[in-house]
PDB file of all heavy atoms in Angstrom:
ATOM      1  N   VAL A   1     -64.625-152.300  27.337  1.00  0.00           N
ATOM      2  CA  VAL A   1     -64.319-152.718  28.673  1.00  0.00           C
ATOM      3  C   VAL A   1     -64.194-151.429  29.550  1.00  0.00           C
ATOM      4  O   VAL A   1     -63.445-150.537  29.228  1.00  0.00           O
ATOM      5  CB  VAL A   1     -63.102-153.626  28.888  1.00  0.00           C
ATOM      6  CG1 VAL A   1     -62.874-153.874  30.376  1.00  0.00           C
ATOM      7  CG2 VAL A   1     -63.328-154.902  28.109  1.00  0.00           C
ATOM      8  N   LEU A   2     -64.903-151.412  30.668  1.00  0.00           N
ATOM      9  CA  LEU A   2     -64.815-150.175  31.527  1.00  0.00           C
ATOM     10  C   LEU A   2     -63.470-150.504  32.363  1.00  0.00           C
ATOM     11  O   LEU A   2     -63.362-151.490  33.023  1.00  0.00           O
ATOM     12  CB  LEU A   2     -65.961-150.080  32.528  1.00  0.00           C
ATOM     13  CG  LEU A   2     -65.968-148.922  33.384  1.00  0.00           C
ATOM     14  CD1 LEU A   2     -65.917-147.630  32.652  1.00  0.00           C
ATOM     15  CD2 LEU A   2     -67.121-148.963  34.464  1.00  0.00           C
ATOM     16  N   GLU A   3     -62.614-149.531  32.345  1.00  0.00           N
ATOM     17  CA  GLU A   3     -61.326-149.642  32.945  1.00  0.00           C
ATOM     18  C   GLU A   3     -61.181-148.648  34.059  1.00  0.00           C
ATOM     19  O   GLU A   3     -61.796-147.577  34.006  1.00  0.00           O
ATOM     20  CB  GLU A   3     -60.125-149.435  32.001  1.00  0.00           C
ATOM     21  CG  GLU A   3     -60.180-150.477  30.881  1.00  0.00           C
ATOM     22  CD  GLU A   3     -58.970-150.189  29.875  1.00  0.00           C
ATOM     23  OE1 GLU A   3     -58.278-149.136  30.048  1.00  0.00           O
ATOM     24  OE2 GLU A   3     -58.919-150.901  28.897  1.00  0.00           O
ATOM     25  N   LEU A   4     -60.312-148.942  35.068  1.00  0.00           N
ATOM     26  CA  LEU A   4     -59.987-147.994  35.995  1.00  0.00           C
ATOM     27  C   LEU A   4     -59.249-146.778  35.299  1.00  0.00           C
ATOM     28  O   LEU A   4     -58.578-147.013  34.305  1.00  0.00           O
ATOM     29  CB  LEU A   4     -59.003-148.535  37.052  1.00  0.00           C
ATOM     30  CG  LEU A   4     -59.580-149.654  37.939  1.00  0.00           C
ATOM     31  CD1 LEU A   4     -58.387-150.164  38.894  1.00  0.00           C
ATOM     32  CD2 LEU A   4     -60.708-149.179  38.855  1.00  0.00           C
ATOM     33  N   GLY A   5     -59.477-145.624  35.727  1.00  0.00           N
ATOM     34  CA  GLY A   5     -58.810-144.515  35.126  1.00  0.00           C
ATOM     35  C   GLY A   5     -59.820-143.412  34.817  1.00  0.00           C
ATOM     36  O   GLY A   5     -60.950-143.288  35.305  1.00  0.00           O
ATOM     37  N   CYS A   6     -59.333-142.459  33.896  1.00  0.00           N
ATOM     38  CA  CYS A   6     -60.066-141.250  33.712  1.00  0.00           C
ATOM     39  C   CYS A   6     -60.740-141.166  32.266  1.00  0.00           C
ATOM     40  O   CYS A   6     -60.145-141.640  31.353  1.00  0.00           O
ATOM     41  CB  CYS A   6     -59.185-140.055  33.798  1.00  0.00           C
ATOM     42  SG  CYS A   6     -58.536-139.872  35.527  1.00  0.00           S
ATOM     43  N   TYR A   7     -61.887-140.587  32.340  1.00  0.00           N
ATOM     44  CA  TYR A   7     -62.662-140.362  31.107  1.00  0.00           C
ATOM     45  C   TYR A   7     -63.021-138.856  31.095  1.00  0.00           C
ATOM     46  O   TYR A   7     -63.472-138.404  32.110  1.00  0.00           O
ATOM     47  CB  TYR A   7     -64.052-141.230  31.004  1.00  0.00           C
ATOM     48  CG  TYR A   7     -63.723-142.666  30.912  1.00  0.00           C
ATOM     49  CD1 TYR A   7     -63.310-143.499  32.103  1.00  0.00           C
ATOM     50  CD2 TYR A   7     -63.780-143.441  29.759  1.00  0.00           C
ATOM     51  CE1 TYR A   7     -63.026-144.774  32.051  1.00  0.00           C
ATOM     52  CE2 TYR A   7     -63.498-144.766  29.641  1.00  0.00           C
ATOM     53  CZ  TYR A   7     -63.202-145.423  30.787  1.00  0.00           C
ATOM     54  OH  TYR A   7     -62.887-146.802  30.720  1.00  0.00           O
ATOM     55  N   GLU A   8     -62.871-138.206  29.976  1.00  0.00           N
ATOM     56  CA  GLU A   8     -62.973-136.750  30.046  1.00  0.00           C
ATOM     57  C   GLU A   8     -63.555-136.161  28.741  1.00  0.00           C
ATOM     58  O   GLU A   8     -63.240-136.735  27.603  1.00  0.00           O
ATOM     59  CB  GLU A   8     -61.598-136.084  30.339  1.00  0.00           C
ATOM     60  CG  GLU A   8     -61.640-134.627  30.430  1.00  0.00           C
ATOM     61  CD  GLU A   8     -60.256-133.976  30.846  1.00  0.00           C
ATOM     62  OE1 GLU A   8     -59.210-134.639  30.464  1.00  0.00           O
ATOM     63  OE2 GLU A   8     -60.338-133.074  31.577  1.00  0.00           O
ATOM     64  N   TYR A   9     -64.323-135.082  28.849  1.00  0.00           N
ATOM     65  CA  TYR A   9     -64.777-134.271  27.821  1.00  0.00           C
ATOM     66  C   TYR A   9     -64.306-132.819  28.113  1.00  0.00           C
ATOM     67  O   TYR A   9     -64.595-132.368  29.199  1.00  0.00           O
ATOM     68  CB  TYR A   9     -66.290-134.254  27.532  1.00  0.00           C
ATOM     69  CG  TYR A   9     -66.712-133.312  26.488  1.00  0.00           C
ATOM     70  CD1 TYR A   9     -66.759-133.772  25.192  1.00  0.00           C
ATOM     71  CD2 TYR A   9     -67.149-132.045  26.799  1.00  0.00           C
ATOM     72  CE1 TYR A   9     -67.035-132.779  24.172  1.00  0.00           C
ATOM     73  CE2 TYR A   9     -67.484-131.187  25.785  1.00  0.00           C
ATOM     74  CZ  TYR A   9     -67.469-131.604  24.506  1.00  0.00           C
ATOM     75  OH  TYR A   9     -67.826-130.738  23.518  1.00  0.00           O
ATOM     76  N   ASN A  10     -63.532-132.220  27.313  1.00  0.00           N
ATOM     77  CA  ASN A  10     -63.075-130.864  27.420  1.00  0.00           C
ATOM     78  C   ASN A  10     -62.969-130.146  26.088  1.00  0.00           C
ATOM     79  O   ASN A  10     -62.202-130.335  25.294  1.00  0.00           O
ATOM     80  CB  ASN A  10     -61.576-131.003  28.027  1.00  0.00           C
ATOM     81  CG  ASN A  10     -61.230-129.627  28.491  1.00  0.00           C
ATOM     82  OD1 ASN A  10     -61.961-128.608  28.498  1.00  0.00           O
ATOM     83  ND2 ASN A  10     -59.912-129.571  29.029  1.00  0.00           N
ATOM     84  N   LYS A  11     -64.169-129.306  25.936  1.00  0.00           N
ATOM     85  CA  LYS A  11     -64.253-128.550  24.720  1.00  0.00           C
ATOM     86  C   LYS A  11     -65.101-127.368  24.935  1.00  0.00           C
ATOM     87  O   LYS A  11     -66.187-127.400  25.653  1.00  0.00           O
ATOM     88  CB  LYS A  11     -64.729-129.443  23.611  1.00  0.00           C
ATOM     89  CG  LYS A  11     -64.801-128.912  22.269  1.00  0.00           C
ATOM     90  CD  LYS A  11     -65.274-129.963  21.248  1.00  0.00           C
ATOM     91  CE  LYS A  11     -65.217-129.345  19.792  1.00  0.00           C
ATOM     92  NZ  LYS A  11     -65.707-130.231  18.802  1.00  0.00           N
ATOM     93  N   ASP A  12     -64.875-126.210  24.180  1.00  0.00           N
ATOM     94  CA  ASP A  12     -65.731-125.084  24.320  1.00  0.00           C
ATOM     95  C   ASP A  12     -66.034-124.563  25.686  1.00  0.00           C
ATOM     96  O   ASP A  12     -67.188-124.153  26.023  1.00  0.00           O
ATOM     97  CB  ASP A  12     -66.961-125.318  23.507  1.00  0.00           C
ATOM     98  CG  ASP A  12     -66.708-125.632  22.058  1.00  0.00           C
ATOM     99  OD1 ASP A  12     -65.853-125.103  21.536  1.00  0.00           O
ATOM    100  OD2 ASP A  12     -67.664-126.397  21.478  1.00  0.00           O
ATOM    101  N   GLY A  13     -65.093-124.676  26.623  1.00  0.00           N
ATOM    102  CA  GLY A  13     -65.294-124.207  27.993  1.00  0.00           C
ATOM    103  C   GLY A  13     -66.041-125.134  28.802  1.00  0.00           C
ATOM    104  O   GLY A  13     -66.358-124.827  29.979  1.00  0.00           O
ATOM    105  N   ASN A  14     -66.441-126.261  28.342  1.00  0.00           N
ATOM    106  CA  ASN A  14     -67.036-127.372  29.102  1.00  0.00           C
ATOM    107  C   ASN A  14     -66.035-128.473  29.455  1.00  0.00           C
ATOM    108  O   ASN A  14     -65.279-128.938  28.593  1.00  0.00           O
ATOM    109  CB  ASN A  14     -68.247-127.959  28.234  1.00  0.00           C
ATOM    110  CG  ASN A  14     -69.227-127.002  27.920  1.00  0.00           C
ATOM    111  OD1 ASN A  14     -69.766-126.206  28.718  1.00  0.00           O
ATOM    112  ND2 ASN A  14     -69.485-126.885  26.633  1.00  0.00           N
ATOM    113  N   ASN A  15     -66.069-128.816  30.734  1.00  0.00           N
ATOM    114  CA  ASN A  15     -65.185-129.861  31.158  1.00  0.00           C
ATOM    115  C   ASN A  15     -65.936-130.878  32.082  1.00  0.00           C
ATOM    116  O   ASN A  15     -66.533-130.389  33.094  1.00  0.00           O
ATOM    117  CB  ASN A  15     -63.969-129.229  31.923  1.00  0.00           C
ATOM    118  CG  ASN A  15     -63.001-130.368  32.286  1.00  0.00           C
ATOM    119  OD1 ASN A  15     -63.068-130.925  33.376  1.00  0.00           O
ATOM    120  ND2 ASN A  15     -62.107-130.775  31.411  1.00  0.00           N
ATOM    121  N   VAL A  16     -65.918-132.134  31.704  1.00  0.00           N
ATOM    122  CA  VAL A  16     -66.473-133.122  32.594  1.00  0.00           C
ATOM    123  C   VAL A  16     -65.397-134.270  32.644  1.00  0.00           C
ATOM    124  O   VAL A  16     -64.844-134.763  31.573  1.00  0.00           O
ATOM    125  CB  VAL A  16     -67.771-133.752  31.844  1.00  0.00           C
ATOM    126  CG1 VAL A  16     -68.352-134.855  32.702  1.00  0.00           C
ATOM    127  CG2 VAL A  16     -68.773-132.662  31.571  1.00  0.00           C
ATOM    128  N   LYS A  17     -65.140-134.612  33.853  1.00  0.00           N
ATOM    129  CA  LYS A  17     -64.034-135.617  34.022  1.00  0.00           C
ATOM    130  C   LYS A  17     -64.603-136.656  35.092  1.00  0.00           C
ATOM    131  O   LYS A  17     -65.001-136.239  36.207  1.00  0.00           O
ATOM    132  CB  LYS A  17     -62.874-135.039  34.599  1.00  0.00           C
ATOM    133  CG  LYS A  17     -61.645-136.003  34.757  1.00  0.00           C
ATOM    134  CD  LYS A  17     -60.367-135.314  34.939  1.00  0.00           C
ATOM    135  CE  LYS A  17     -59.215-136.202  34.956  1.00  0.00           C
ATOM    136  NZ  LYS A  17     -57.934-135.475  35.242  1.00  0.00           N
ATOM    137  N   MET A  18     -64.500-137.932  34.691  1.00  0.00           N
ATOM    138  CA  MET A  18     -64.951-139.049  35.609  1.00  0.00           C
ATOM    139  C   MET A  18     -63.696-139.848  35.830  1.00  0.00           C
ATOM    140  O   MET A  18     -63.188-140.314  34.821  1.00  0.00           O
ATOM    141  CB  MET A  18     -66.074-139.863  35.037  1.00  0.00           C
ATOM    142  CG  MET A  18     -66.513-141.014  36.100  1.00  0.00           C
ATOM    143  SD  MET A  18     -67.709-142.122  35.572  1.00  0.00           S
ATOM    144  CE  MET A  18     -69.152-141.101  35.942  1.00  0.00           C
ATOM    145  N   GLU A  19     -63.253-140.137  37.021  1.00  0.00           N
ATOM    146  CA  GLU A  19     -62.250-140.973  37.364  1.00  0.00           C
ATOM    147  C   GLU A  19     -62.781-142.264  37.979  1.00  0.00           C
ATOM    148  O   GLU A  19     -63.366-142.170  39.098  1.00  0.00           O
ATOM    149  CB  GLU A  19     -61.276-140.362  38.281  1.00  0.00           C
ATOM    150  CG  GLU A  19     -60.079-141.334  38.646  1.00  0.00           C
ATOM    151  CD  GLU A  19     -58.967-140.806  39.521  1.00  0.00           C
ATOM    152  OE1 GLU A  19     -59.207-139.686  40.148  1.00  0.00           O
ATOM    153  OE2 GLU A  19     -58.029-141.499  39.825  1.00  0.00           O
ATOM    154  N   ILE A  20     -62.781-143.407  37.313  1.00  0.00           N
ATOM    155  CA  ILE A  20     -63.211-144.639  37.818  1.00  0.00           C
ATOM    156  C   ILE A  20     -62.179-145.168  38.730  1.00  0.00           C
ATOM    157  O   ILE A  20     -61.038-145.369  38.284  1.00  0.00           O
ATOM    158  CB  ILE A  20     -63.512-145.642  36.615  1.00  0.00           C
ATOM    159  CG1 ILE A  20     -64.537-145.106  35.578  1.00  0.00           C
ATOM    160  CG2 ILE A  20     -63.939-146.934  37.195  1.00  0.00           C
ATOM    161  CD1 ILE A  20     -65.932-144.875  36.187  1.00  0.00           C
ATOM    162  N   THR A  21     -62.590-145.299  40.034  1.00  0.00           N
ATOM    163  CA  THR A  21     -61.618-145.783  41.056  1.00  0.00           C
ATOM    164  C   THR A  21     -61.756-147.334  41.429  1.00  0.00           C
ATOM    165  O   THR A  21     -60.939-147.899  42.011  1.00  0.00           O
ATOM    166  CB  THR A  21     -61.727-144.952  42.280  1.00  0.00           C
ATOM    167  OG1 THR A  21     -63.095-145.071  42.781  1.00  0.00           O
ATOM    168  CG2 THR A  21     -61.393-143.457  41.976  1.00  0.00           C
ATOM    169  N   LYS A  22     -62.880-147.908  41.112  1.00  0.00           N
ATOM    170  CA  LYS A  22     -63.171-149.257  41.355  1.00  0.00           C
ATOM    171  C   LYS A  22     -64.140-149.824  40.385  1.00  0.00           C
ATOM    172  O   LYS A  22     -65.211-149.209  40.136  1.00  0.00           O
ATOM    173  CB  LYS A  22     -63.800-149.355  42.807  1.00  0.00           C
ATOM    174  CG  LYS A  22     -64.196-150.817  43.155  1.00  0.00           C
ATOM    175  CD  LYS A  22     -64.850-150.798  44.567  1.00  0.00           C
ATOM    176  CE  LYS A  22     -65.574-152.114  44.900  1.00  0.00           C
ATOM    177  NZ  LYS A  22     -66.380-152.016  46.078  1.00  0.00           N
ATOM    178  N   VAL A  23     -63.873-151.048  39.863  1.00  0.00           N
ATOM    179  CA  VAL A  23     -64.753-151.774  38.908  1.00  0.00           C
ATOM    180  C   VAL A  23     -64.861-153.220  39.506  1.00  0.00           C
ATOM    181  O   VAL A  23     -63.911-153.928  39.407  1.00  0.00           O
ATOM    182  CB  VAL A  23     -64.257-151.822  37.493  1.00  0.00           C
ATOM    183  CG1 VAL A  23     -65.158-152.570  36.629  1.00  0.00           C
ATOM    184  CG2 VAL A  23     -64.059-150.409  36.894  1.00  0.00           C
ATOM    185  N   ALA A  24     -66.008-153.431  40.099  1.00  0.00           N
ATOM    186  CA  ALA A  24     -66.263-154.806  40.568  1.00  0.00           C
ATOM    187  C   ALA A  24     -67.830-154.876  40.615  1.00  0.00           C
ATOM    188  O   ALA A  24     -68.372-154.453  39.586  1.00  0.00           O
ATOM    189  CB  ALA A  24     -65.775-154.862  42.024  1.00  0.00           C
ATOM    190  N   ASP A  25     -68.432-155.613  41.569  1.00  0.00           N
ATOM    191  CA  ASP A  25     -69.902-155.667  41.541  1.00  0.00           C
ATOM    192  C   ASP A  25     -70.429-154.264  41.528  1.00  0.00           C
ATOM    193  O   ASP A  25     -71.555-154.028  40.984  1.00  0.00           O
ATOM    194  CB  ASP A  25     -70.344-156.400  42.821  1.00  0.00           C
ATOM    195  CG  ASP A  25     -70.028-157.923  42.820  1.00  0.00           C
ATOM    196  OD1 ASP A  25     -69.889-158.369  41.661  1.00  0.00           O
ATOM    197  OD2 ASP A  25     -69.956-158.553  43.850  1.00  0.00           O
ATOM    198  N   GLU A  26     -69.788-153.367  42.177  1.00  0.00           N
ATOM    199  CA  GLU A  26     -70.151-151.950  42.152  1.00  0.00           C
ATOM    200  C   GLU A  26     -68.932-151.119  41.572  1.00  0.00           C
ATOM    201  O   GLU A  26     -67.856-151.468  41.708  1.00  0.00           O
ATOM    202  CB  GLU A  26     -70.343-151.532  43.596  1.00  0.00           C
ATOM    203  CG  GLU A  26     -70.957-150.330  43.894  1.00  0.00           C
ATOM    204  CD  GLU A  26     -71.289-150.034  45.465  1.00  0.00           C
ATOM    205  OE1 GLU A  26     -70.298-149.747  46.117  1.00  0.00           O
ATOM    206  OE2 GLU A  26     -72.406-150.218  45.766  1.00  0.00           O
ATOM    207  N   VAL A  27     -69.414-150.145  40.760  1.00  0.00           N
ATOM    208  CA  VAL A  27     -68.435-149.146  40.114  1.00  0.00           C
ATOM    209  C   VAL A  27     -68.502-147.830  40.953  1.00  0.00           C
ATOM    210  O   VAL A  27     -69.537-147.377  41.162  1.00  0.00           O
ATOM    211  CB  VAL A  27     -68.822-148.966  38.723  1.00  0.00           C
ATOM    212  CG1 VAL A  27     -67.912-147.923  38.051  1.00  0.00           C
ATOM    213  CG2 VAL A  27     -68.873-150.266  37.946  1.00  0.00           C
ATOM    214  N   THR A  28     -67.314-147.502  41.329  1.00  0.00           N
ATOM    215  CA  THR A  28     -67.216-146.110  42.051  1.00  0.00           C
ATOM    216  C   THR A  28     -66.236-145.265  41.324  1.00  0.00           C
ATOM    217  O   THR A  28     -65.379-145.679  40.593  1.00  0.00           O
ATOM    218  CB  THR A  28     -66.827-146.276  43.502  1.00  0.00           C
ATOM    219  OG1 THR A  28     -65.473-146.977  43.492  1.00  0.00           O
ATOM    220  CG2 THR A  28     -67.835-147.190  44.255  1.00  0.00           C
ATOM    221  N   GLY A  29     -66.412-143.955  41.600  1.00  0.00           N
ATOM    222  CA  GLY A  29     -65.570-143.013  40.952  1.00  0.00           C
ATOM    223  C   GLY A  29     -65.847-141.566  41.491  1.00  0.00           C
ATOM    224  O   GLY A  29     -66.689-141.324  42.322  1.00  0.00           O
ATOM    225  N   ASN A  30     -65.091-140.704  40.861  1.00  0.00           N
ATOM    226  CA  ASN A  30     -65.259-139.208  41.219  1.00  0.00           C
ATOM    227  C   ASN A  30     -65.631-138.560  39.809  1.00  0.00           C
ATOM    228  O   ASN A  30     -65.150-138.871  38.742  1.00  0.00           O
ATOM    229  CB  ASN A  30     -63.881-138.613  41.678  1.00  0.00           C
ATOM    230  CG  ASN A  30     -63.430-139.288  42.912  1.00  0.00           C
ATOM    231  OD1 ASN A  30     -64.199-139.441  43.862  1.00  0.00           O
ATOM    232  ND2 ASN A  30     -62.175-139.711  42.939  1.00  0.00           N
ATOM    233  N   LEU A  31     -66.615-137.660  40.024  1.00  0.00           N
ATOM    234  CA  LEU A  31     -67.162-137.036  38.759  1.00  0.00           C
ATOM    235  C   LEU A  31     -67.127-135.499  39.074  1.00  0.00           C
ATOM    236  O   LEU A  31     -67.654-134.997  40.033  1.00  0.00           O
ATOM    237  CB  LEU A  31     -68.491-137.572  38.488  1.00  0.00           C
ATOM    238  CG  LEU A  31     -69.268-136.901  37.328  1.00  0.00           C
ATOM    239  CD1 LEU A  31     -68.466-137.175  35.962  1.00  0.00           C
ATOM    240  CD2 LEU A  31     -70.609-137.395  37.212  1.00  0.00           C
ATOM    241  N   ASN A  32     -66.496-134.818  38.127  1.00  0.00           N
ATOM    242  CA  ASN A  32     -66.433-133.266  38.176  1.00  0.00           C
ATOM    243  C   ASN A  32     -67.020-132.755  36.925  1.00  0.00           C
ATOM    244  O   ASN A  32     -66.559-133.161  35.836  1.00  0.00           O
ATOM    245  CB  ASN A  32     -65.102-132.785  38.441  1.00  0.00           C
ATOM    246  CG  ASN A  32     -64.466-133.309  39.747  1.00  0.00           C
ATOM    247  OD1 ASN A  32     -65.106-133.527  40.654  1.00  0.00           O
ATOM    248  ND2 ASN A  32     -63.096-133.558  39.660  1.00  0.00           N
ATOM    249  N   THR A  33     -67.994-131.831  36.988  1.00  0.00           N
ATOM    250  CA  THR A  33     -68.519-131.169  35.892  1.00  0.00           C
ATOM    251  C   THR A  33     -68.413-129.624  36.023  1.00  0.00           C
ATOM    252  O   THR A  33     -68.591-129.085  37.029  1.00  0.00           O
ATOM    253  CB  THR A  33     -70.043-131.547  35.647  1.00  0.00           C
ATOM    254  OG1 THR A  33     -70.784-131.117  36.834  1.00  0.00           O
ATOM    255  CG2 THR A  33     -70.209-133.064  35.498  1.00  0.00           C
ATOM    256  N   ALA A  34     -68.077-129.089  34.828  1.00  0.00           N
ATOM    257  CA  ALA A  34     -67.972-127.626  34.794  1.00  0.00           C
ATOM    258  C   ALA A  34     -68.376-127.255  33.463  1.00  0.00           C
ATOM    259  O   ALA A  34     -67.629-127.261  32.432  1.00  0.00           O
ATOM    260  CB  ALA A  34     -66.503-127.080  35.004  1.00  0.00           C
ATOM    261  N   TYR A  35     -69.719-126.803  33.327  1.00  0.00           N
ATOM    262  CA  TYR A  35     -70.249-126.418  31.964  1.00  0.00           C
ATOM    263  C   TYR A  35     -70.121-124.860  31.930  1.00  0.00           C
ATOM    264  O   TYR A  35     -70.333-124.176  32.895  1.00  0.00           O
ATOM    265  CB  TYR A  35     -71.725-126.852  31.823  1.00  0.00           C
ATOM    266  CG  TYR A  35     -71.845-128.376  31.660  1.00  0.00           C
ATOM    267  CD1 TYR A  35     -72.328-129.134  32.672  1.00  0.00           C
ATOM    268  CD2 TYR A  35     -71.446-128.985  30.464  1.00  0.00           C
ATOM    269  CE1 TYR A  35     -72.502-130.482  32.481  1.00  0.00           C
ATOM    270  CE2 TYR A  35     -71.504-130.380  30.360  1.00  0.00           C
ATOM    271  CZ  TYR A  35     -72.081-131.146  31.312  1.00  0.00           C
ATOM    272  OH  TYR A  35     -72.196-132.428  31.252  1.00  0.00           O
ATOM    273  N   SER A  36     -69.834-124.420  30.745  1.00  0.00           N
ATOM    274  CA  SER A  36     -69.637-122.999  30.461  1.00  0.00           C
ATOM    275  C   SER A  36     -70.845-122.241  30.904  1.00  0.00           C
ATOM    276  O   SER A  36     -72.055-122.661  30.476  1.00  0.00           O
ATOM    277  CB  SER A  36     -69.437-122.741  28.963  1.00  0.00           C
ATOM    278  OG  SER A  36     -69.264-121.346  28.752  1.00  0.00           O
ATOM    279  N   GLY A  37     -70.725-121.181  31.700  1.00  0.00           N
ATOM    280  CA  GLY A  37     -71.803-120.326  32.172  1.00  0.00           C
ATOM    281  C   GLY A  37     -72.641-121.001  33.380  1.00  0.00           C
ATOM    282  O   GLY A  37     -73.747-120.459  33.753  1.00  0.00           O
ATOM    283  N   LYS A  38     -72.316-122.108  33.825  1.00  0.00           N
ATOM    284  CA  LYS A  38     -73.038-122.775  34.928  1.00  0.00           C
ATOM    285  C   LYS A  38     -72.075-123.142  36.113  1.00  0.00           C
ATOM    286  O   LYS A  38     -70.947-123.107  35.953  1.00  0.00           O
ATOM    287  CB  LYS A  38     -73.683-124.094  34.446  1.00  0.00           C
ATOM    288  CG  LYS A  38     -74.734-123.831  33.375  1.00  0.00           C
ATOM    289  CD  LYS A  38     -75.434-125.213  33.108  1.00  0.00           C
ATOM    290  CE  LYS A  38     -76.523-124.873  32.132  1.00  0.00           C
ATOM    291  NZ  LYS A  38     -77.338-126.137  31.812  1.00  0.00           N
ATOM    292  N   ASP A  39     -72.678-123.296  37.264  1.00  0.00           N
ATOM    293  CA  ASP A  39     -71.836-123.597  38.519  1.00  0.00           C
ATOM    294  C   ASP A  39     -71.260-125.027  38.262  1.00  0.00           C
ATOM    295  O   ASP A  39     -71.902-125.933  37.694  1.00  0.00           O
ATOM    296  CB  ASP A  39     -72.690-123.631  39.745  1.00  0.00           C
ATOM    297  CG  ASP A  39     -73.133-122.267  40.170  1.00  0.00           C
ATOM    298  OD1 ASP A  39     -72.395-121.321  39.816  1.00  0.00           O
ATOM    299  OD2 ASP A  39     -74.294-122.148  40.650  1.00  0.00           O
ATOM    300  N   SER A  40     -69.982-125.205  38.763  1.00  0.00           N
ATOM    301  CA  SER A  40     -69.446-126.587  38.653  1.00  0.00           C
ATOM    302  C   SER A  40     -69.908-127.481  39.739  1.00  0.00           C
ATOM    303  O   SER A  40     -70.360-126.953  40.863  1.00  0.00           O
ATOM    304  CB  SER A  40     -67.910-126.383  38.707  1.00  0.00           C
ATOM    305  OG  SER A  40     -67.502-125.872  39.933  1.00  0.00           O
ATOM    306  N   ASN A  41     -69.788-128.756  39.507  1.00  0.00           N
ATOM    307  CA  ASN A  41     -70.122-129.764  40.514  1.00  0.00           C
ATOM    308  C   ASN A  41     -68.991-130.700  40.732  1.00  0.00           C
ATOM    309  O   ASN A  41     -68.342-131.063  39.752  1.00  0.00           O
ATOM    310  CB  ASN A  41     -71.330-130.619  40.051  1.00  0.00           C
ATOM    311  CG  ASN A  41     -72.562-129.763  39.842  1.00  0.00           C
ATOM    312  OD1 ASN A  41     -72.885-128.905  40.534  1.00  0.00           O
ATOM    313  ND2 ASN A  41     -73.328-130.104  38.749  1.00  0.00           N
ATOM    314  N   LYS A  42     -68.838-131.108  42.004  1.00  0.00           N
ATOM    315  CA  LYS A  42     -67.750-132.125  42.327  1.00  0.00           C
ATOM    316  C   LYS A  42     -68.417-133.156  43.275  1.00  0.00           C
ATOM    317  O   LYS A  42     -69.193-132.766  44.149  1.00  0.00           O
ATOM    318  CB  LYS A  42     -66.556-131.439  42.915  1.00  0.00           C
ATOM    319  CG  LYS A  42     -65.787-130.555  42.073  1.00  0.00           C
ATOM    320  CD  LYS A  42     -64.576-130.093  42.718  1.00  0.00           C
ATOM    321  CE  LYS A  42     -63.731-129.296  41.714  1.00  0.00           C
ATOM    322  NZ  LYS A  42     -62.393-128.868  42.194  1.00  0.00           N
TER     323      LYS A  42
END
């Protein structure tokens, strides 16, 4: 079940974090990515 809250990968200098803020007909959230050696995205 997709739940409100955070899902994260953090290993070897790579960090991806998605915070699910709404689960209904539409799913919304915040997503931040920071891969080692690349520009981060928010």
Side-chain angles (χ1 to χ4, degrees):
V1 176
L2 183 64
E3 297 177 0
L4 294 176
C6 295
Y7 295 80
E8 182 176 32
Y9 176 83
N10 191 1
K11 189 175 181 183
D12 299 327
N14 299 307
N15 183 268
V16 179
K17 186 172 186 177
M18 179 183 280
E19 180 180 4
I20 303 294
T21 57
K22 177 183 164 191
V23 177
D25 291 340
E26 194 172 74
V27 175
T28 60
N30 300 309
L31 179 60
N32 300 328
T33 61
Y35 291 108
S36 180
K38 295 186 179 185
D39 292 328
S40 64
N41 300 321
K42 293 184 178 192

